[in-house]
Amino acid sequence: MFLEVLEPFILSGQIERLPPQALNAIVDNYATTPQLVRRLGEILMSLRLSPGEFDIDRVLSTCRRHHLWRTFARVWLSMGDPLAPITSTIAAAKASLRQGSGNTSAQDGGDTQETTVSASSLVLFGDETAEVVVFDYLDMVIRGRYYPDGKAILPQQRAEKYSTLISELLFPPIDTSQPPPGGIEDTFATLLALAELSTDRLLLLLKHVLNDPFVDYINIIVKPTSGLNSRASERSLRRASQVKSFIQIVVDTIFILARAVYLDGCLALTRRQVGLLSSYAIALYTTRFPLVFLKDETVVEWADILLHLDDASTRSEREYAFEMILRLNPPQSYADYIDSARAAGFFR
């Protein structure tokens, strides 16, 4: 009864801290059912928490068991770790995709109880699926906002720190002149996982994030691919030329992936995904130039990818992107592209 009396005062912000004994008592009483766990997540997000003040393992395991991913993410963020929810929700979303066709058959077998629990928790208690949560979470935190209420993360320094950490996870800052030292799949594992879940959602996420003025504060240091231990490399890390904006990192990364699929036969992305992502990146380059810069040889190579990708589902997007490239970077001779454009079906 005492804990239930405390709840409205905590949620209204009148109580911001509790002694460890009271916190643990709340966890013990609220971490038993999906209904109470959702309320527990709201309580924890309303408090100023420090590690060790409550049984976080019990809370997170309960969230996992009942598929309460929104609560799972908000608890981690309240503890000051913006990265942990991403890896966990992506893994859960990918597992759900793999089991998608098997869910109906699972209802006839031994997994019936687990399927029922997850479905009921999603419908009755309003929590989102892991796929929805991960994209919404990224959208808010990269833009300097708490998930899921969208309030600004304060102080500004903390918001920039969280945003930069997530940006570097999705778009590792590497030297684009060299192949990724860890391979395409390992270096860009998180970004490729998001594209696998939904390329359309990924594009919507990027469009929303890049239209927010907050990302102008995000600048990422690009580490050289060799000589990291030398004094010269330490100095180079501090050079302005080694610092890139978030939007530049996005465009550079998409080019690396497109080149790997088209030239090296990498299977990390499908041709449709390359067509959609390349078209979007070219649109960023042509509309944000000179904020976004590409070398002449990169532009020529990317135009070649758009022409020869051979994916009918993205022909209109690639054709538009190709036209934008020619407007910003007119070739010495348009005749050089006539045959290739005709073969690609670019007739506009």
Side-chain angles (χ1 to χ4, degrees), residues 136-149:
D136 288 349
Y137 175 86
L138 291 170
D139 178 24
M140 290 190 182
V141 183
I142 292 177
R143 295 187 296 116
R145 291 163 171 79
Y146 278 114
Y147 175 83
D149 57 21

Side-chain angles (χ1 to χ4, degrees), residues 316-328:
S316 61
E317 290 89 347
R318 290 185 290 113
E319 182 176 10
Y320 180 65
F322 181 71
E323 292 174 357
M324 296 178 74
I325 284 182
L326 295 187
R327 289 174 192 162
L328 186 61

Side-chain angles (χ1 to χ4, degrees), residues 166-346:
I166 294 177
S167 300
E168 291 179 340
L169 176 67
L170 300 185
F171 303 95
I174 63 172
D175 186 354
T176 57
S177 64
Q178 301 289 335
I184 291 293
E185 288 86 351
D186 291 338
T187 303
F188 302 104
T190 304
L191 180 62
L192 292 173
L194 292 173
E196 179 185 351
L197 291 177
S198 175
T199 306
D200 292 335
R201 281 185 180 272
L202 176 59
L203 288 172
L204 287 174
L205 165 67
L206 292 176
K207 291 175 182 176
H208 197 203
V209 166
L210 290 172
N211 284 328
D212 194 305
F214 178 83
V215 299
D216 294 339
Y217 294 100
I218 308 305
N219 293 294
I220 299 174
I221 296 178
V222 178
K223 301 176 183 179
T225 55
S226 60
L228 290 176
N229 296 324
S230 67
R231 291 185 178 180
S233 295
E234 292 175 0
R235 288 194 297 271
S236 70
L237 285 176
R238 294 192 293 268
R239 292 205 313 265
S241 60
Q242 294 293 326
V243 178
K244 292 187 178 181
S245 64
F246 178 75
I247 187 173
Q248 182 71 60
I249 288 285
V250 170
V251 173
D252 289 345
T253 299
I254 293 177
F255 174 69
I256 293 173
L257 295 176
R259 183 174 55 186
V261 173
Y262 176 68
L263 294 180
D264 303 331
C266 175
L267 300 179
L269 293 171
T270 65
R271 291 182 177 270
R272 178 180 181 276
Q273 290 172 322
V274 171
L276 292 174
L277 291 171
S278 292
S279 300
Y280 173 65
I282 292 297
L284 289 177
Y285 162 61
T286 55
T287 57
R288 304 286 186 97
F289 179 84
L291 178 61
V292 178
F293 175 78
L294 294 176
K295 296 179 180 179
D296 291 342
E297 55 266 31
T298 299
V299 174
V300 171
E301 189 173 352
W302 218 335
D304 189 60
I305 292 174
L306 293 172
L307 283 169
H308 298 95
L309 193 59
D310 190 25
D311 177 67
S313 67
T314 60
R315 181 177 290 118
S316 61
E317 290 89 347
R318 290 185 290 113
E319 182 176 10
Y320 180 65
F322 181 71
E323 292 174 357
M324 296 178 74
I325 284 182
L326 295 187
R327 289 174 192 162
L328 186 61
N329 302 82
Q332 293 182 349
S333 174
Y334 284 93
D336 295 339
Y337 287 103
I338 292 177
D339 291 340
S340 297
R342 183 181 294 114
F346 296 176

Side-chain angles (χ1 to χ4, degrees), residues 21-251:
Q21 297 87 344
L23 268 175
N24 285 322
I26 288 177
V27 171
D28 289 340
N29 283 273
Y30 280 76
T32 54
T33 67
Q35 303 99 312
L36 291 177
V37 169
R38 274 187 59 82
R39 289 165 58 189
L40 176 61
E42 295 172 2
I43 290 173
L44 295 177
M45 281 294 292
S46 301
L47 292 170
R48 295 185 179 182
L49 301 173
S50 299
E53 289 186 346
F54 67 102
D55 190 350
I56 188 172
D57 291 335
R58 180 171 183 180
V59 175
L60 295 176
S61 62
T62 304
C63 290
R64 285 178 180 274
R65 183 166 61 253
H66 296 293
H67 296 197
L68 300 177
W69 298 112
R70 182 192 297 155
T71 305
F72 180 88
R74 71 195 301 180
V75 170
W76 267 122
L77 191 58
S78 70
M79 294 301 295
D81 189 339
L83 300 182
I86 301 172
T87 54
S88 296
T89 50
I90 286 178
K94 292 178 68 174
S96 179
L97 277 181
R98 289 192 295 268
Q99 298 171 359
S101 59
N103 280 343
T104 53
S105 60
Q107 293 176 0
D108 300 326
D111 294 333
T112 304
Q113 183 176 0
E114 178 65 24
T115 303
T116 303
V117 169
S118 64
S120 64
S121 61
L122 291 175
V123 175
L124 296 181
F125 310 119
D127 225 283
E128 305 286 359
T129 64
E131 179 181 328
V132 171
V133 166
V134 69
F135 284 105
D136 288 349
Y137 175 86
L138 291 170
D139 178 24
M140 290 190 182
V141 183
I142 292 177
R143 295 187 296 116
R145 291 163 171 79
Y146 278 114
Y147 175 83
D149 57 21
K151 295 180 180 178
I153 297 175
L154 297 175
Q156 174 83 4
Q157 183 179 8
R158 178 184 300 165
E160 293 177 17
K161 176 185 176 182
Y162 287 0
S163 183
T164 301
L165 286 173
I166 294 177
S167 300
E168 291 179 340
L169 176 67
L170 300 185
F171 303 95
I174 63 172
D175 186 354
T176 57
S177 64
Q178 301 289 335
I184 291 293
E185 288 86 351
D186 291 338
T187 303
F188 302 104
T190 304
L191 180 62
L192 292 173
L194 292 173
E196 179 185 351
L197 291 177
S198 175
T199 306
D200 292 335
R201 281 185 180 272
L202 176 59
L203 288 172
L204 287 174
L205 165 67
L206 292 176
K207 291 175 182 176
H208 197 203
V209 166
L210 290 172
N211 284 328
D212 194 305
F214 178 83
V215 299
D216 294 339
Y217 294 100
I218 308 305
N219 293 294
I220 299 174
I221 296 178
V222 178
K223 301 176 183 179
T225 55
S226 60
L228 290 176
N229 296 324
S230 67
R231 291 185 178 180
S233 295
E234 292 175 0
R235 288 194 297 271
S236 70
L237 285 176
R238 294 192 293 268
R239 292 205 313 265
S241 60
Q242 294 293 326
V243 178
K244 292 187 178 181
S245 64
F246 178 75
I247 187 173
Q248 182 71 60
I249 288 285
V250 170
V251 173

